[in-house]
Amino acid sequence: MQLAVNLPRRDALAIAVSLGGITLLAWVYLIRMAQDMSSPDALCMAAMQIPHWSAGYFWMMFWMWAVMMVGMMVPSAAPMILMYAAVARKAQRQGTPIAPTGAFTAGYLFMWTAFSFLATLAQWQLDRAALLSPMLVARSPRAG
């Protein structure tokens, strides 16, 4: 962790606050979504109908996956992002600059967003094969 010591406190604080803000926004979104889904009307509707995978439903599920991944994975990446920022700063001082910390973080988020897209495709196919209930519970012990 020697590298993080070389990062100015102001930079480390800015990165930590930014990552915390991103995480907080993701969790607020997910909590609000869960509250909307747990209302009696939503539970009744979900129990009565199997979701139709329209383009709009696909994108809604994709964004749910993407926001969930950001909310869960950004906090675990924070130490590495801070370390990368220190390395980038040192490389810049030595005249061998590397990609900015924002680009490093954006690449990390992009990969989790790509995973979210694949997870949405998998969920769609599981639903299509009737292996998921309307409440997204596996209907088959084998699928579970």
Side-chain angles (χ1 to χ4, degrees), residues 36-58:
D36 290 345
M37 289 174 48
S38 65
S39 73
D41 293 336
L43 289 175
C44 184
M45 291 299 288
M48 291 177 13
Q49 55 180 246
I50 296 172
H52 173 67
W53 279 84
S54 64
Y57 186 77
F58 181 91

Side-chain angles (χ1 to χ4, degrees), residues 53-142:
W53 279 84
S54 64
Y57 186 77
F58 181 91
W59 288 112
M60 180 190 70
M61 293 307 291
F62 164 71
W63 284 114
M64 182 270 311
W65 273 103
V67 170
M68 183 173 56
M69 290 291 97
V70 168
M72 290 189 310
M73 301 312 292
V74 165
S76 66
M80 188 63 213
I81 293 168
L82 288 167
M83 189 174 292
Y84 182 87
V87 169
R89 188 172 190 77
K90 184 177 179 185
Q92 185 178 22
R93 273 184 283 175
Q94 294 175 345
T96 57
I98 57 176
T101 306
F104 176 79
T105 306
Y108 182 78
L109 295 175
F110 174 80
M111 292 310 296
W112 280 112
T113 303
F115 169 83
S116 299
F117 186 78
L118 295 175
T120 306
L121 287 174
Q123 183 179 345
W124 176 35
Q125 292 307 310
L126 287 168
D127 189 57
R128 230 174 128 201
L131 294 173
L132 289 178
S133 74
M135 295 302 292
L136 303 179
V137 176
R139 287 187 170 165
S140 160
R142 186 167 234 177

